[in-house]
Amino acid sequence: MAKNPVSQPYSEEIARFLEGTANFSDIVFGFMEESSESTVGNLCDCEEDDNEDVEENKAFWEAQEKLLQATIGRAISFESKLRQAVKYSLEEIKLAGSECSCRTPVAGGCRTCMRKEISVRLQNVGFNCVICKSKWKSSSEIPAGNHTYLEVVEKSKKGDVIRVVIELNFRAEFEMARANEEYNRLVNRLPEVFVGKTERLKAVIKIMCAAAKKCMKEKKMHIAPWRKHKYMQAKWLGGYHRSTAETTPLIMMPVVSYAYADRQPKPKAAASMLTFDLMENFGGLHFGATAAVEVL
């Protein structure tokens, strides 16, 4: 019987085997030997790619950490003064202790009352501090949401408006349950209380959102829509409604005016209770606590 030609790799060895001039072990071990050389080459290429990925990832996280440190470490004179005022206010509030004034009191105080208290204290030492509530609609990229924070507006010597955001729960806004070690290290570098210009806040958001995206990519997971850059920007840099806390401070004691004697209180606008989140729990900062709070 005529044999059809074999058109596969190692056809000559297979033909010799069929003709009886080669044994099975010659073919098997010969194939394994040549295949092993090819496999080793592929493994080497994969190892080189993996090493490159590791180096790229390491360079990315190191760069992000340096950028973040440089961004939050800077401050103009007005930012520094305001940070000190917020720090003193928080210390006095925690040392004195107070009860939540909401319709449904929260044990240890709530974020709403804390914002009102700090706003009043800052107004009493001459800062134009207001309570802001941002609100945005859902889109194809992000869900709808709202956020409340403090804002101080000041005019520079050149007449430019300086807008400074005060976020009392800043670090927690960027925490993720399944984050890697590198991302958590960045989060830990963030201040618990953020006091900074909108331009500085915008830079921090960009750094942290890029890090969150990289973190999820390394873990082969999709990033949540409320962790996206556009959503985080909407919290502090989107459209918002402003109102002034017109109530008497909850803690009846002198405000910190000795460090800001040159500032005179400014006229206060009418308050709108519609801007307050009445049931929002205040995590991390309690009226009766005595631990130090990092302010930046």
Side-chain angles (χ1 to χ4, degrees):
M1 178 184 291
K3 298 182 178 65
N4 294 326
V6 180
S7 60
Q8 295 180 357
Y10 312 99
S11 57
E12 294 182 2
E13 285 82 355
I14 294 174
R16 286 171 53 210
F17 174 74
L18 293 175
E19 293 173 356
T21 58
N23 57 37
F24 181 76
S25 61
D26 291 336
I27 297 174
V28 173
F29 287 106
F31 171 78
M32 288 179 64
E33 186 175 330
E34 293 183 20
S35 177
S36 297
E37 291 177 359
S38 176
T39 303
V40 169
N42 292 335
L43 286 174
C44 290
D45 293 339
C46 291
E47 287 177 359
E48 289 179 2
D49 292 341
D50 290 342
N51 290 335
E52 289 178 1
D53 290 342
V54 170
E55 290 301 320
E56 287 180 4
N57 292 340
K58 183 179 179 181
F60 171 84
W61 291 111
E62 288 178 351
Q64 295 301 100
E65 192 166 354
K66 289 179 181 178
L67 279 172
L68 182 62
Q69 190 66 20
T71 302
I72 62 179
R74 296 173 183 171
I76 62 174
S77 176
F78 179 71
E79 283 177 294
S80 299
K81 291 179 180 179
L82 183 56
R83 287 174 183 177
Q84 287 299 316
V86 173
K87 180 180 178 181
Y88 289 139
S89 296
L90 287 169
E91 289 175 351
E92 287 188 343
I93 290 171
K94 289 186 293 181
L95 288 173
S98 179
E99 294 181 0
C100 180
S101 63
C102 297
R103 293 180 181 179
T104 307
V106 179
C110 70
R111 200 178 308 174
T112 298
C113 292
M114 179 67 83
R115 276 193 296 262
K116 289 170 60 179
E117 175 71 10
I118 292 175
S119 180
V120 170
R121 285 174 172 274
L122 292 178
Q123 290 174 45
N124 288 340
V125 294
F127 289 101
N128 181 18
C129 183
V130 295
I131 297 172
C132 296
K133 184 168 184 177
S134 58
K135 189 175 183 180
W136 57 94
K137 296 181 179 180
S138 62
S139 67
S140 58
E141 299 179 66
I142 61 173
N146 61 79
H147 188 71
T148 308
Y149 57 95
L150 295 174
E151 177 189 80
V152 175
V153 177
E154 178 79 352
K155 281 190 176 182
S156 67
K157 294 180 180 179
K158 296 181 180 180
D160 299 326
V161 176
I162 302 173
R163 182 184 169 218
V164 179
V165 171
I166 302 174
E167 175 57 59
L168 301 178
N169 203 32
F170 191 67
R171 187 183 299 157
E173 295 292 336
F174 294 91
E175 292 176 348
M176 296 195 301
R178 299 182 181 180
N180 58 19
E181 182 180 349
E182 291 81 3
Y183 181 81
N184 286 333
R185 189 182 302 121
L186 286 181
V187 172
N188 289 333
R189 284 195 174 275
L190 295 173
E192 183 179 349
V193 178
F194 177 86
V195 180
K197 296 193 303 179
T198 52
E199 294 83 1
R200 200 175 315 286
L201 176 59
K202 185 177 182 180
V204 173
I205 292 173
K206 185 176 181 179
I207 293 169
M208 294 306 299
C209 288
K213 185 176 181 180
K214 178 71 171 178
C215 172
M216 292 294 101
K217 184 178 180 181
E218 289 182 6
K219 296 178 74 68
K220 297 181 179 180
M221 297 172 63
H222 292 289
I223 189 167
W226 55 88
R227 296 296 180 189
K228 291 184 177 180
H229 186 233
K230 189 173 182 179
Y231 188 93
M232 298 302 288
Q233 277 194 318
K235 287 185 177 183
W236 300 285
L237 305 175
Y240 61 95
H241 172 72
R242 307 171 84 234
S243 65
T244 305
E246 186 68 27
T247 57
T248 303
L250 298 175
I251 303 170
M252 299 303 295
M253 62 181 294
V255 292
V256 187
S257 57
Y258 51 83
Y260 307 95
D262 57 327
R263 284 188 169 273
Q264 297 298 322
K266 297 180 181 180
K268 303 174 184 177
S272 173
M273 291 303 292
L274 295 176
T275 61
F276 299 153
D277 295 328
L278 297 179
M279 293 302 295
E280 189 175 11
N281 291 333
F282 191 95
L285 293 175
H286 299 290
F287 284 25
T290 57
V293 177
E294 179 187 4
V295 179
L296 188 57

